[in-house]
Amino acid sequence: MSVSALSLLSKDDWIYAGILGGAFLLSILVRFLARGQSLYAVLKYSPGFIGFGAALALLGWKIVYSIPIALFTTFSIKNGKPGDNHQMPLLVFVVVFIYLLLTRHLHEFIDVPELASQANALQLIITLRAIGLAFDVGDSRFDRANPGQSKRKRHLEEDPSYLMMFNYLYHYCGLFTGPYYSFQMFLDSCDSNASAFHQNYLDKGLVGEYTWRLKQLAWSLPIFIITNKLFPLDGLRSDDVFEWSLLYKLIYACMVFVVFRMRVYAAWSVSECICVTLNIGIYPDGSAPKCVIGPTDVDGFRKGWTDGATSANSLAIQNIEIAQVEASDGFRAGIRGWNKSVQTWLALYVHSRAPKASRMVLTMFISALWHGTYAGYFMSFLVVPMCTAAEDVLFRLVPKGDNGERSNTFFRVYWLTLRTRGFDFMATGFLLKNWKDTHRFWSSCYYWLPVTMIVLFFVLTAIEPMMKTKRPRAEETKDAVLVVIMYCNDNIDKKKVLSG
């Protein structure tokens, strides 16, 4: 029986399950054993040491891979000029990404273990935290030096100490699994000024935060185990795929993506529970929090934070919108609902700071580079701009109706085929990783998604002017009717009609 139970998950999956389970139990102990000001001291000064110790026990000497990122980032921040909000963060961004690439390929040149599995996961999270921290400090320096010129509603009130940066970079919450959270969110989690708010949340909201996430775990974990056994990814790594019918290949790709989504839904449900247990991402409802960004209504935040608001939510740490991923109306909306913390990181530190003409491509490129230098990653991510470009034209031709939905028959066909099967297709490249396996499967499917999207884009772009000519906009039609009525009836006050 024990052998069959162990065979339900792979070795890596069992390790991640142990990491999540151990972190969750530890967060429970910290939350319920530490009381009063001692709780905030534990939350503030211990998480980095716990995370570093856990990583050392799990990875052994491979934890050394992550140390140069932490050292370079902290020294760059502490030695940056007070008014420097551009050069220092950009330097950290470039150097950390170059270092990430070097460590991934170091084993090809010298006899060292490959940066893979849990060691690679740690490196990815440290990369996000280091770059995000550098940009946040740089932006805050600018805000403090130029009061009133920034659009940001909150900024760091002072530069962080080495100790606080260490505790953030190696914070055990999400260290191997995510989600990403900002340095400001870490500071908020251990802010003793919010003790009344956190106590109210603990008394009234914590069980509710657990309940819906554990329900998500209850259905996603069994589906993952069952589908993973029936549709293993290795089935796509064989020349047998050329013998399958196209329909069966589409079904298999669909189920492989189901396996991937269920694994992620299960893991993130536990990881988010750890965050909320440690106060990370919990803000008053009146502060209108957003993922990673935190409160967007500063007045509502300040009032509820110090006065002990009785209603709160965890939207700032909610990493996935399952309904949006599963049933949104297009590629762009589905992507936005997936891994929201990394999406927000890309939006804040890449997309919003890149040249406008190349934002989309550069953001997808950095996303692929962060995930790994496998050909499959780049193939999948670089198909995204093709899909969104064609989708944008299609959405202009098929606008939403009065009910806010696109009910056109052609659109429903598009959603069921291109959108849903397109995500399945791209997921296979992401999961197969290398060029050989990805090209084998994609070529067996005739590269149907990029080919279809390129053709669709040019066809829709060509017919768009004709469609607009045949179907005037509603406002233009209304104006034309008014003009006709006005000049056919002398009793109408023309000035009144023309003025609206």
Side-chain angles (χ1 to χ4, degrees):
M1 179 63 71
S2 60
V3 175
S4 62
L6 289 175
S7 67
L8 292 177
L9 299 175
S10 68
K11 178 181 177 181
D12 266 358
D13 287 332
W14 278 116
I15 291 174
Y16 278 112
I19 291 171
L20 287 168
F24 182 57
L25 290 176
L26 179 60
S27 68
I28 293 290
L29 289 174
V30 168
R31 179 79 206 199
F32 292 99
L33 292 182
R35 294 292 179 181
Q37 293 302 310
S38 63
L39 170 64
Y40 293 97
V42 171
L43 293 177
K44 190 173 185 178
Y45 296 116
S46 70
F49 294 97
I50 295 173
F52 189 88
L56 181 62
L58 180 65
L59 304 177
W61 77 267
K62 284 190 285 186
I63 194 176
V64 171
Y65 283 128
S66 68
I67 294 176
I69 294 180
L71 290 177
F72 178 78
T73 302
T74 54
F75 280 117
S76 296
I77 289 173
K78 296 301 288 185
N79 291 285
K81 298 178 181 178
D84 179 14
N85 65 305
H86 294 298
Q87 294 180 358
M88 182 274 292
L90 184 60
L91 177 66
V92 171
F93 185 97
V94 173
V95 170
V96 168
F97 259 102
I98 291 175
Y99 177 77
L100 180 63
L101 294 177
L102 289 175
T103 53
R104 280 173 173 164
H105 296 280
L106 190 62
H107 67 282
E108 299 172 5
F109 304 99
I110 61 177
D111 186 20
V112 294
E114 181 180 0
L115 184 67
S117 300
Q118 292 78 35
N120 183 56
L122 171 65
Q123 204 80 339
L124 294 179
I125 297 298
I126 291 285
T127 296
L128 293 181
R129 292 181 181 179
I131 293 174
L133 174 60
F135 274 111
D136 288 347
V137 171
D139 291 343
S140 296
R141 286 174 178 169
F142 175 82
D143 293 343
R144 295 196 301 268
N146 303 275
Q149 295 186 26
S150 173
K151 295 181 180 179
R152 284 177 290 276
K153 297 182 178 181
R154 295 184 73 201
H155 62 257
L156 302 176
E157 296 179 359
E158 59 182 12
D159 283 0
S161 66
Y162 281 111
L163 178 60
M164 291 304 292
M165 287 190 284
F166 171 79
N167 277 299
Y168 169 65
L169 292 174
Y170 283 100
H171 198 306
Y172 66 91
C173 179
L175 188 58
F176 293 95
T177 59
Y180 167 78
Y181 46 89
S182 67
F183 182 70
Q184 182 65 68
M185 291 172 64
F186 163 58
L187 293 182
D188 291 340
S189 71
C190 50
D191 182 2
S192 59
N193 293 321
S195 58
F197 165 71
H198 287 145
Q199 188 59 48
N200 286 336
Y201 157 73
L202 177 64
D203 294 339
K204 301 178 181 179
L206 188 59
V207 173
E209 296 287 354
Y210 283 163
T211 300
W212 71 265
R213 287 182 169 91
L214 294 180
K215 286 180 179 178
Q216 178 178 306
L217 175 67
W219 58 260
S220 59
L221 183 59
I223 295 175
F224 160 64
I225 293 173
I226 294 170
T227 54
N228 191 39
K229 286 296 181 182
L230 296 177
F231 298 92
L233 181 63
D234 287 342
L236 300 182
R237 292 193 170 104
S238 168
D239 288 335
D240 292 343
V241 296
F242 290 103
E243 305 298 324
W244 299 351
S245 67
L246 180 60
L247 177 61
Y248 185 70
K249 281 182 277 195
L250 292 176
I251 293 173
Y252 205 105
C254 172
M255 297 311 299
V256 164
F257 190 31
V258 168
V259 173
F260 180 63
R261 297 202 306 279
M262 295 305 116
R263 175 191 281 116
V264 169
Y265 293 167
W268 282 342
S269 62
V270 179
S271 191
E272 289 177 17
C273 283
I274 299 169
C275 289
V276 298
T277 305
L278 299 175
N279 297 336
I280 298 174
I282 300 299
Y283 293 103
D285 286 336
S287 66
K290 292 184 179 180
C291 185
V292 174
I293 297 172
T296 57
D297 185 334
V298 177
D299 291 335
F301 163 72
R302 289 171 178 165
K303 182 179 179 180
W305 197 245
T306 55
D307 295 349
T310 57
S311 60
N313 64 64
S314 59
L315 293 177
I317 206 66
Q318 188 174 335
N319 204 30
I320 197 162
E321 293 281 357
I322 293 181
Q324 191 172 341
V325 172
E326 299 290 341
S328 61
D329 64 358
F331 288 97
R332 199 184 299 275
I335 291 171
R336 285 174 179 166
W338 177 265
N339 201 355
K340 291 170 61 179
S341 62
V342 174
Q343 294 288 335
T344 306
W345 185 93
L346 288 167
L348 291 174
Y349 308 121
V350 181
H351 188 272
S352 64
R353 301 169 195 261
K356 190 173 182 180
S358 57
R359 281 179 176 175
M360 186 64 178
V361 173
L362 184 61
T363 302
M364 290 296 103
F365 177 79
I366 293 297
S367 180
L369 198 64
W370 176 76
H371 282 90
T373 52
Y374 294 103
Y377 289 172
F378 287 91
M379 293 167 72
S380 295
F381 281 114
L382 294 178
V383 169
V384 173
M386 302 180 195
C387 297
T388 55
E391 179 178 86
D392 289 342
V393 183
L394 176 64
F395 281 10
R396 290 197 296 268
L397 295 176
V398 188
K400 292 182 178 180
D402 295 335
N403 61 355
E405 298 180 358
R406 296 179 176 90
S407 56
N408 182 281
T409 301
F410 173 77
F411 180 80
R412 289 200 296 271
V413 173
Y414 154 82
W415 186 86
L416 289 172
T417 53
L418 295 186
R419 189 270 185 195
T420 51
R421 301 291 73 79
F423 273 131
D424 299 341
F425 183 87
M426 287 188 286
T428 59
F430 187 86
L431 295 170
L432 291 171
K433 296 183 179 180
N434 65 60
W435 158 258
K436 181 180 178 181
D437 291 337
T438 304
H439 173 65
R440 178 194 295 115
F441 182 70
W442 283 21
S443 62
S444 76
C445 299
Y446 314 107
Y447 276 82
W448 74 265
L449 180 63
V451 170
T452 301
M453 284 301 172
I454 291 172
V455 173
L456 186 63
F457 173 77
F458 284 108
V459 170
L460 292 176
T461 301
I463 67 173
E464 186 177 14
M466 295 182 286
M467 295 290 290
K468 286 184 176 180
T469 302
K470 291 181 180 181
R471 187 183 61 197
R473 290 179 301 177
E475 195 63 35
E476 293 174 349
T477 304
K478 175 184 175 182
D479 291 344
V481 171
L482 286 174
V483 170
V484 171
I485 294 174
M486 179 180 67
Y487 283 99
C488 289
N489 192 335
D490 292 334
N491 295 324
I492 294 179
D493 186 338
K494 297 179 175 58
K495 290 185 179 179
K496 185 176 181 180
V497 171
L498 289 174
S499 62

